[in-house]
Structure formats: structure tokens, C-alpha cells
Amino acid sequence: MTTEPHSLSGVRHDKATDMTRRQFLQRTTALGLGSTAALALLNACGTPTVNAGQLSANITYWNLFGGGDGVRMVQMEDSFSKSHPNIKLESVTLAWGAPYYTKLAMAAAGGRPPDVAISHMTRVPIYAAQDLLDPFDLNELAKVGITEDKFLPNIWERAHYNSKLYTIPLDTHPFVMYYNVDICQKAGLLDGAGNLKPLEGTTAIIDAFKRAQQVTGSAGVAFEVQGVTPWRIFYSLYSQLGGQALSADGKKLVIDDNKAEQALSFMADLTTKSKVAPPTIDYAGAVALFGSGKAAFHWNGEWEVSTFINQKSLKFNMVPFPKVFDQYHAQADSHAFILPRQSAVDPNSRAAVLEFISYMLKTSLTWAQGGHIPAYLPVTNDSQYKQLKPQSNYASVAAEVSVDPIAWFSGSGSELENQAGAAFQQVLAGQFTTKQGLDQFKKALQKLLSLPAPV
């Protein structure tokens, strides 16, 4: 699929004799040739394909990775730079969440964007709809080994907007379950091979947490209550019941009250009835409770694997978030590469960007060490990844995830997650009934739906 009127393949630049696309347009315009005619001449000439080893370009790359992710990303960037000495990579790390996405949108709208950037895939449709992104050229991607068959069908489909490919997925990062091996052994929850016995259904799961709690004397399971994690739990459970939050176009609230209250009732049971989970705890507190052995299970994103690996006294393992209701789903998102809209594309720089993305995909075993499931199937299907434990234990979840609904206020680090957390933590703390919590959340969504997109 060709999505630009020009080839995205690079041309070798001899600085003494060659010129970029932008320079060409500037010079032809100065000679009195209109921009339309200049573009036609440029497109008629075409651009020859260049071997990756011949590329010479400067590219800027924005991302939002901190902590362990940031360390691994820098490691991968350094490896790329060493193997591609003619491509100068300028990497900029910005604050996670709303500050990052605001700055990215402003840069694209203002004509001063980076050449390539990272986005959560749930954010991409809104950016694409606002014409803030360039779509990818499938023919040019194929030249660097990026083709549809290298990705799971569901994630490749989500990478499109209006039948155009706007993002290249780097990973899937799902909501998962951690467990303390020693505690679960004492509670009789492990099989003969030392792995957690399958937990499925509300009764079996709560029973397992109670048995584990008898061992810890503290908590059966720990998860953040005072933050956005309640949304991730709720959406995992609600999706298992077949529920949807917004219409496909992101303009209408379609929450099924019965299913939503069923999901919230199970969550509240954990904290206020069975009392196997602390009812008022923040993110750091939940991580610390599991890390110290005072909770047998932990519900969180897989990105905390690095934290627990570094605690040498902790023997833990990881499995997919459990199947509580009818059909398996777990809330997730993906980090992905995007092309912020360029006022004029330099084919040489664009070719270098595609080479960079390809390299990052092919070396994403390094990325997988931080817990994320590589999206590039040659990596996830390789024996090295399968031997990476406990990170590969939940790789199958990538085909069965539920991503946040599409709306300008949705996606990772969004106002939707904030409002869900604010409402649902009241239910978990026993201060709201499930109906009251759901009503507050629905009112917040209706208010957001009534507002125009800020971009």
C-alpha cells in the first residue's frame, strides 16, 4: 500500500551534488516553478532504493520510557548506533502520560515533529484522525523485513486506521498475575512441577487467595486501589463478560450496567467481603506488599518484573491474569512506533527511520526482558524468548487482550483511566455501592463525550 505520493525509500546523499526533497522544492519554487509542478517532477523522477549500509542521515526519536524500560531502550539505541555509524540518532525522553502526548501533538501540528516517536497504540487512532501522523508505506516496510505475517492478526489490525497502517507495534503489555512461589507451595496451590494450579472462576480464585492469606497472615492478593489499576482490573473482568464501554466510533456510551456491576461486585468482594486484599493502598504500597512476602499474589502490569527480579530474596513467578468469567480477556496496550506528520519528507531520513524501527523489532528480545511481549513474531517464536522466564509464561495473552476504547480521552495515561480509578476506588474501599461507583464513572464519561477533542 503506497500512502505517500513519493517513494519512502532513501537515496544516497552526496552533500556536494545531491539535495533533499525539501531543498528540491525550495529551489524549484525559487526558479518560478509552482509547488504542484515541482512535486509532479519530483515524483516522476522517482527515488532509487538504497542499501541499509549506505544510508547516511540524522534522525530524531521521541519516547516516554523511564525506569527499567528507559535503561533497556537506551541499550537498544546504543546498539543501533554502533551497528549503523552513518545514521546519527538523537533520542529524546519526555515525561510519561499527558505531558508527552500533548507535546507530541503540538510538535506535529506546529510542523516541528521528530522523525519517529513512540505511542501507545490506543492513542494512535485519534492522532491519525487529526492528520497528525504519516501512514507507513507497506512496500518500503517490506524492504526492511516488516510485513503483516510477522505480527499477530489482532495487533496488525489495530495498527490500522481507515485502512492505512499508522503504527508499527513493538510489544503488547498486558495485565498479569504475579505469585509468590514459597507461599503458594505452603498453601497447597502448586502442582507437582512447582507451578501454580489453574485458577478459574470467582469461587476458586477467592478460595485460593484465602488459603494464601492464611500463610501470609496479611493479604492474599495486593493491587493498587488508589490509582488507575482499578480500571485495568475492571476492564479485564468486564471484557470477560463481553461488555463494551463506548461505541466503535468513540462517541456513545454503551456500558451494560448488569455486566459492569457484576465485575465491580467481584472486585469489591476481594476488599470488603472476603477481605483478601487491602481496600486502601496505592501503587507503591501494593508492589511493596508483594515484594516483602506479605501478599501471595499481585495484580499489575508485567512491567514490574524487573523490580521483583532485583529482590534476590523473593521467589516469584508470573501467569496470565485469571479467567474469572465467561471468555478470556486481559486489559492491555502496546507501545508502537509512529511517524509524526512531516511538512516535507526527506526520503533519506525516512529510509533511515524504517531501518531503525526494523532494528528495534529484530532486537526486541532485550525489550522483552522488562516483561513486555514482543510484537515481532520472529522474536516471540524464537527459543531464546521461550526460555526467558518468567516473562514468556504469559505470551499467549497477546492474542486475547482487550484494549481501551477509542476516544480522545481514552488510552494509556488518559482521563478515562483517571475517572475510572476515582470512581472504582470508592467501591473497593467500601464507601460506594457498585451502582454508585458505576454511576459516577458513567457521568464522568458522558461529560467527556460532550466536550470537543482538544487537538
Side-chain angles (χ1 to χ4, degrees):
M1 180 191 304
T2 301
T3 55
E4 291 286 327
H6 55 277
S7 170
L8 296 186
S9 59
V11 294
R12 185 175 182 179
H13 277 226
D14 181 334
K15 294 183 179 179
T17 61
D18 207 356
M19 66 181 73
T20 66
R21 172 187 173 88
R22 185 182 292 107
Q23 291 168 336
F24 178 88
L25 293 176
Q26 290 172 342
R27 294 186 187 185
T28 51
T29 301
L31 291 172
L33 185 64
S35 59
T36 301
L39 278 172
L41 178 59
L42 179 61
N43 294 335
C45 294
T47 50
T49 301
V50 168
N51 183 284
Q54 296 177 311
L55 284 172
S56 179
N58 296 345
I59 58 175
T60 55
Y61 165 52
W62 285 11
N63 70 78
L64 68 174
F65 298 122
D69 281 353
V71 171
R72 272 176 287 276
M73 181 54 61
V74 169
Q75 181 182 345
M76 294 166 70
E77 292 167 1
D78 290 346
S79 179
F80 171 81
S81 295
K82 289 178 182 178
S83 61
H84 297 75
N86 293 330
I87 299 177
K88 183 179 179 182
L89 175 67
E90 180 186 353
S91 178
V92 178
T93 302
L94 301 170
W96 192 93
Y100 177 79
Y101 288 107
T102 299
K103 183 164 287 190
L104 186 61
M106 292 176 64
R112 297 175 63 94
D115 296 297
V116 60
I118 282 288
S119 173
H120 288 93
M121 283 184 68
T122 48
R123 295 276 189 155
V124 170
I126 302 304
Y127 278 70
Q130 298 294 329
D131 197 31
L132 296 176
L133 303 178
D134 283 337
F136 285 89
D137 185 315
L138 295 183
N139 293 326
E140 298 305 318
L141 287 173
K143 294 174 183 178
V144 293
I146 302 175
T147 52
E148 179 178 356
D149 61 303
K150 302 294 198 310
F151 301 86
L152 289 172
N154 65 328
I155 196 170
W156 185 257
E157 180 182 356
R158 289 199 303 272
H160 287 73
Y161 175 77
N162 280 354
S163 300
K164 293 182 180 181
L165 184 71
Y166 278 97
T167 180
I168 304 298
L170 174 62
D171 63 41
T172 299
H173 47 91
F175 203 65
V176 298
M177 183 162 71
Y178 303 77
Y179 67 94
N180 184 302
V181 174
D182 292 333
I183 294 172
C184 288
Q185 177 69 56
K186 294 176 182 178
L189 299 175
L190 304 185
D191 61 20
N195 296 314
L196 186 69
K197 295 176 183 177
L199 296 180
E200 184 174 320
T202 58
T203 301
I205 291 168
I206 291 178
D207 178 66
F209 290 166
K210 286 180 176 179
R211 291 166 64 181
Q213 187 177 36
Q214 292 176 354
V215 177
T216 65
S218 177
V221 60
F223 49 81
E224 176 193 33
V225 172
Q226 299 170 337
V228 301
T229 297
W231 162 254
R232 296 182 177 127
I233 300 173
F234 168 79
Y235 203 55
S236 297
L237 299 171
Y238 182 57
S239 297
Q240 290 185 7
L241 290 164
Q244 299 291 326
L246 299 176
S247 57
D249 61 7
K251 296 180 179 180
K252 184 179 179 181
L253 189 66
V254 295
I255 287 179
D256 183 313
D257 287 7
N258 290 332
K259 292 177 179 179
E261 287 198 53
Q262 188 176 350
L264 286 171
S265 292
F266 174 74
M267 294 166 62
D269 191 342
L270 299 174
T271 57
T272 63
K273 183 179 178 182
S274 300
K275 297 184 179 180
V276 293
T280 54
I281 191 170
D282 62 12
Y283 187 95
V287 171
L289 203 64
F290 179 75
S292 64
K294 294 180 180 179
F297 293 88
H298 181 52
W299 285 353
N300 203 340
E302 33 67 30
W303 48 81
E304 286 298 340
V305 63
S306 297
T307 299
F308 299 133
I309 285 177
N310 289 330
Q311 295 181 227
K312 302 303 181 182
S313 60
L314 176 65
K315 187 177 180 181
F316 78 99
N317 208 338
M318 301 169 69
V319 291
F321 182 78
K323 181 182 178 184
V324 182
F325 296 118
D326 303 333
Q327 49 190 311
Y328 187 79
H329 287 286
Q331 191 270 353
D333 205 338
S334 295
H335 298 117
F337 295 100
I338 56 173
L339 302 174
R341 171 66 71 181
Q342 304 290 322
S343 56
V345 176
D346 179 347
N348 203 49
S349 295
R350 182 57 59 85
V353 163
L354 299 187
E355 181 63 26
F356 168 70
I357 294 174
S358 175
Y359 184 89
M360 301 302 268
L361 294 179
K362 293 172 182 176
T363 59
S364 57
L365 180 65
T366 299
W367 191 242
Q369 293 170 7
H372 307 317
I373 305 169
Y376 195 63
L377 291 179
V379 175
T380 50
N381 291 336
D382 188 82
S383 60
Q384 283 186 287
Y385 175 70
K386 292 178 180 178
Q387 293 167 11
L388 184 64
K389 299 294 182 180
Q391 292 91 330
S392 64
N393 290 352
Y394 46 86
S396 62
V397 174
E400 302 175 292
V401 298
S402 290
V403 300
D404 291 1
I406 295 173
W408 69 262
F409 52 83
S410 182
S412 293
S414 68
E415 190 60 19
L416 180 148
E417 294 188 344
N418 292 335
Q419 291 298 331
F424 298 160
Q425 67 178 271
Q426 306 295 330
V427 176
L428 292 167
Q431 297 173 348
F432 277 2
T433 65
T434 56
K435 185 179 185 305
Q436 288 173 323
L438 181 60
D439 285 347
Q440 177 173 314
F441 178 54
K442 288 169 62 178
K443 287 178 182 177
L445 288 191
Q446 288 287 14
K447 182 177 180 179
L448 291 168
L449 286 166
S450 70
L451 301 174
V455 178

